[in-house]
Amino acid sequence: MSKAKRIICLLLSAVMIVSLCACGGTKAEKKEAAEITTQPTEVEQKENVNAEDKIKTETLKENLNTEASVDIMQSRAISLPMGGVKLRQAVKAGEQLLMFGRDSEGENKFFLYDLASDSAEELELEIHGEFYSLCQSSDGKIMLLTVDENGDYILSSYDNAAFQSSVKLNIPEKCAGNNIDEIAAVNGKMIVCTGGTVFLMDESGEMVKELGDYTYNPACILNDDGSILICRGFYNSIDNDDHSTFFSLYDGNFNLISETKIQRIYDCISASDTGENVLVFLKNTLYKLNYKNGDMLPLIDCASSCMHSNNILLLNDGKLFSIENGMGAVWEECTEQSETITLATYELNRGLQQIIEDYNSRNLGYKIVVRDYAEYDLAEDSDVGMTQLNADYISDNSIDILDLTNLPALKFAKSGALKDISGWVTEENKQILPSVLESLKYDGNLYYMTPSFSILSMVSSQELSGGLSKWTLQEFMEKVSGLPAVNAIGANTAGELFLTYVILFNSSQFVDINNLSSNFYNGGFSEMLEYAAQLPDEGIPGGPDDFGAVACGEQKAFMGLIGSNSVKTVSFIDGAFNNEPNYIGFPSENSSGFALAPSSLLGVSAKTANIQGCKSFFDFVLGEECQGNSYINDLPVRQDVLTAKLDKQGENYIELPPSLGAFANGEKISIKGTEDVNVIKEQLYGIIESLNISTVTDEDMLNLILEESEKYLNGSISSELAAQEIDSKLKIYLAEQYG
């Protein structure tokens, strides 16, 4: 993830977002897993592995088939013999599926689903201990894993639902107390994945040998030919790109046949149609992966099909099974004849995915097919996805709608790649808030739209801002002169975050895209750099939160977001500032200081051949029903729906005025919100009406500015030289990208 993307994510998750409900703990259903942080650079066979098992690992690269079409599938729910049961797990048991769930009373329920008759029967099983997990079995036997009163794992087998035998698993000491992540019974032996190690155990529950280590999503696949495939993922951290999955194939006697390594980790791995293929789930697509040569074939658009589960099983007739929202679902080809609309995205967010699923479920004559280019990125080359997107856009007109949330929206708009949708989206025909339309316009045209938004800004005490209703950067600097930066805008605001705000809110002052020029050296940016240097590199761990620091008078202003819980958030802002906050906005020369932060950003490709399909989707997204849906978590863009939402929040607020627990001076304090909800709503409406810019930015340009700024912040160069270097590099960048 680029630096700019990380900063934007901070903007959308940090300072002013308040947790407004207490989350109580629930009884754990599994033992606590130990954290695994080590990763071998090579597969190391343990001392007790036979010599014939030692095989050199072949490292492969994925070969993703970007030309293949991706299907939208439809599902039908499996009917259970009793209602009120939520399924949780399923495994194949020969020609049948063994399913586990719980009823409304929390009682364990087991079902056997026959694929041929498409019917399920309840099983009455004698359980020894507390049920833990289903066990897949190569001979089709029913096997359950339980935990006894001593905390030991017990594996029990059943014959025609009658209890047959049980065995205690003697987990090696180094992994004792960990979850069992995966278990399979094969040829009288057991494969157990726990504590970051895969073990082979005999029929008495004793360890025979170790089959390798893992840190992420182990999987055991029992092939029809009697071979066993064990998949082990290695995933150290979010920032480490050297993720990988090992595919180790064993014969029926557990001799290692082959081992391959692919530099990618997968969210789900399950059996496919042949021994060389597995089904893998990545972000929004289900793929068929040939782990022996790295070929990847996209199969199912899971986002558009509403397939969410990672408990996916291949049925004998080529259909798929998964558990969706507690129900068993059989997936097959979609019989509805609908024209498809291709939506290109890079890291589809959950909110937009829910909108797409809702649209597709309504049979409006079109179906959205999602093409997530982030899935094309390989571990060693993070630019593959963007390169492929650009190639697809240039080469044909297969892309209809672009989700620009993580794409260079300004570049697309400037280059003519997007259609002006001003005629589709107006205040009159969609009741869209005028300030939303104004904030999203580029060069007088509307090239993209958002379903909902949050507000990025600054709030100040009256003492600091001195009664100003708006301030420029220079006025801000005059007001904070002599006041330590951490007391002005908080110890939780990093210098780089402050500079990002400066650039976002003052972009037109520093950069002129149309004239391909910038003005950082003469525009006063060096002074901003010097102020940012007074702020911490990162938020101070264990320090006071912003609300607590403000309430105690230690902090005079803070920056952040007003979003989904807007009435409560504003009430706590009022309470922290003793009911006298100044919603002054962030210092800016040419804006109100309040910026619209879109939940997602949708544009229409100028090359689309399906204008009516695109318009159908936009009409739905901006329609009253979609806008009022629960998946619109932030502020809706329709005036009528926004009014209704804030009225509802106000009613809930009056019924139960909340208080906020904040931290300051080493102690917990309670902040009570404003009692008069009408005052809160008036403040909110005033802020919304003042919006005139958005957080849409050129992330590459922002990265360039922040990288040069970092040279000053770490003491390498002076602030003046940093500003000069920014202007020098931007001159080249603007000419290349916007010339």
Side-chain angles (χ1 to χ4, degrees), residues 246-262:
F246 288 83
F247 297 87
S248 305
L249 184 66
Y250 295 84
D251 64 19
N253 295 317
F254 293 95
N255 297 308
L256 187 61
I257 300 172
S258 65
E259 188 161 73
T260 53
K261 169 188 174 183
I262 296 179

Side-chain angles (χ1 to χ4, degrees), residues 98-300:
L98 177 62
M99 303 184 294
F100 155 71
R102 288 204 173 103
D103 64 15
S104 57
E105 302 297 323
E107 295 294 323
N108 296 329
K109 298 293 179 182
F110 301 92
F111 303 92
L112 204 59
Y113 173 66
D114 184 76
L115 306 179
S117 64
D118 190 25
S119 61
E121 64 172 309
E122 184 181 359
L123 299 177
E124 296 290 341
L125 300 177
E126 179 184 347
I127 307 298
H128 294 259
E130 182 180 353
F131 175 75
Y132 181 85
S133 177
L134 302 177
C135 174
Q136 59 176 320
S137 171
S138 61
D139 59 8
K141 281 188 177 180
I142 295 173
M143 307 193 76
L144 305 183
L145 185 67
T146 59
V147 179
D148 68 11
E149 59 185 9
N150 298 318
D152 293 322
Y153 286 111
I154 307 295
L155 186 64
S156 301
S157 62
Y158 301 78
D159 187 9
N160 292 324
F163 174 75
Q164 195 172 33
S165 62
S166 64
V167 61
K168 172 187 169 183
L169 303 184
N170 293 310
I171 305 296
E173 184 177 351
K174 74 171 187 175
C175 295
N178 288 285
N179 286 345
I180 287 184
D181 299 312
E182 180 88 356
I183 183 167
V186 187
N187 300 336
K189 294 184 173 61
M190 290 158 284
I191 301 169
V192 179
C193 305
T194 182
T197 304
V198 183
F199 297 99
L200 179 65
M201 294 186 169
D202 62 21
E203 63 277 1
S204 64
E206 298 295 332
M207 187 186 76
V208 176
K209 62 181 178 181
E210 295 183 14
L211 300 178
D213 296 333
Y214 67 91
T215 63
Y216 188 80
N217 275 5
C220 301
I221 296 175
L222 311 181
N223 296 318
D224 292 338
D225 63 2
S227 62
I228 304 106
L229 179 67
I230 297 178
C231 314
R232 298 172 292 120
F234 290 94
Y235 184 66
N236 275 345
S237 69
I238 292 175
D239 293 329
N240 183 358
D241 288 334
D242 189 23
H243 310 316
S244 56
T245 302
F246 288 83
F247 297 87
S248 305
L249 184 66
Y250 295 84
D251 64 19
N253 295 317
F254 293 95
N255 297 308
L256 187 61
I257 300 172
S258 65
E259 188 161 73
T260 53
K261 169 188 174 183
I262 296 179
Q263 289 184 307
R264 167 89 84 159
I265 58 169
Y266 305 96
D267 296 325
C268 167
I269 303 177
S270 61
S272 185
D273 53 356
T274 72
E276 294 186 356
N277 294 323
V278 292
L279 296 176
V280 297
F281 183 74
L282 279 175
K283 300 184 186 298
N284 304 302
T285 306
L286 188 71
Y287 293 88
K288 180 192 290 186
L289 168 68
N290 185 313
Y291 66 88
K292 289 192 174 182
N293 60 24
D295 287 348
M296 278 190 73
L297 178 69
L299 297 178
I300 300 175

Side-chain angles (χ1 to χ4, degrees), residues 342-638:
T342 300
L343 184 144
T345 183
Y346 191 96
E347 295 278 7
L348 181 69
N349 66 55
R350 178 61 181 151
L352 181 55
Q353 179 177 336
Q354 288 177 302
I355 292 174
I356 292 169
E357 291 176 358
D358 191 5
Y359 176 82
N360 282 349
S361 70
R362 294 173 183 267
N363 302 322
L364 299 175
Y366 301 93
K367 294 285 186 184
I368 299 291
V369 176
V370 175
R371 191 182 297 170
D372 194 336
Y373 284 86
E375 297 174 16
Y376 297 169
D377 285 351
L378 306 179
E380 66 272 19
D381 185 356
S382 61
D383 294 328
V384 172
M386 284 302 303
T387 302
Q388 185 66 46
L389 189 154
N390 289 327
D392 286 356
Y393 182 83
I394 293 170
S395 63
D396 56 40
N397 62 351
S398 64
I399 295 174
D400 300 302
I401 298 173
L402 291 119
D403 169 22
L404 299 155
T405 310
N406 296 313
L407 298 177
L410 289 179
K411 291 181 184 178
F412 275 92
K414 175 71 173 177
S415 67
L418 303 176
K419 177 179 174 58
D420 180 7
I421 57 173
S422 301
W424 296 6
V425 185
T426 67
E427 181 185 357
E428 292 76 19
N429 69 7
K430 289 290 183 292
Q431 293 199 48
I432 305 302
L433 293 158
S435 59
V436 169
L437 296 175
E438 178 63 27
S439 300
L440 291 175
K441 284 184 177 178
Y442 172 76
D443 203 19
N445 295 322
L446 188 67
Y447 293 109
Y448 27 72
M449 193 61 201
T450 181
S452 59
F453 66 98
S454 300
I455 303 165
L456 197 68
S457 189
M458 175 181 277
V459 185
S460 163
S461 68
Q462 296 289 347
E463 174 191 358
L464 178 64
S465 54
L468 291 175
S469 58
K470 181 184 180 305
W471 49 10
T472 63
L473 285 171
Q474 188 58 44
E475 288 170 331
F476 170 78
M477 294 303 296
E478 291 172 0
K479 293 293 184 182
V480 299
S481 177
L483 184 66
V486 293
N487 295 121
I489 55 176
N492 295 312
T493 300
E496 190 174 58
L497 183 61
F498 172 76
L499 290 176
T500 302
Y501 270 72
V502 170
I503 297 163
L504 287 175
F505 281 95
N506 296 274
S507 57
S508 61
Q509 176 189 350
F510 293 117
V511 181
D512 186 345
I513 292 177
N514 292 326
N515 292 317
L516 308 180
S517 63
S518 64
N519 190 36
F520 282 84
Y521 179 66
N522 293 319
F525 191 69
S526 59
E527 190 176 5
M528 297 300 105
L529 285 171
E530 291 165 7
Y531 190 74
Q534 301 176 43
L535 292 163
D537 293 336
E538 298 178 355
I540 299 176
D545 58 45
D546 287 305
F547 281 98
V550 168
C552 293
E554 299 168 356
Q555 183 175 324
K556 306 303 180 183
F558 56 62
M559 315 179 318
L561 204 69
I562 301 174
S564 56
N565 294 306
S566 50
V567 169
K568 288 183 178 180
T569 302
V570 171
S571 77
F572 292 138
I573 293 171
D574 286 3
F577 283 100
N578 298 312
N579 295 321
E580 293 184 350
N582 184 3
Y583 293 93
I584 190 171
F586 193 83
S588 176
E589 301 292 332
N590 301 307
S591 78
S592 64
F594 298 95
L596 178 145
S599 58
S600 56
L601 204 62
L602 298 171
V604 177
S605 169
K607 301 174 70 174
T608 181
N610 196 343
I611 293 294
Q612 289 305 313
C614 296
K615 190 174 186 302
S616 168
F617 182 63
F618 272 71
D619 286 344
F620 172 77
V621 170
L622 302 177
E624 186 174 359
E625 192 167 4
C626 175
Q627 286 282 294
N629 204 295
S630 59
Y631 50 62
I632 301 292
N633 292 318
D634 297 326
L635 298 167
V637 297
R638 280 181 65 110

Side-chain angles (χ1 to χ4, degrees), residues 2-4 6 496 499 503 525 529 699-714 716-717 722 725-726 729:
S2 70
K3 177 184 285 189
R6 290 197 299 269
E496 190 174 58
L499 290 176
I503 297 163
F525 191 69
L529 285 171
E699 291 181 353
D700 292 333
M701 185 190 303
L702 179 59
N703 277 332
L704 186 154
I705 297 167
L706 292 176
E707 286 168 3
E708 294 304 312
S709 299
E710 183 65 28
K711 294 177 182 178
Y712 165 72
L713 295 177
N714 65 25
S716 301
I717 59 176
E725 286 295 310
I726 291 171
K729 294 195 174 182

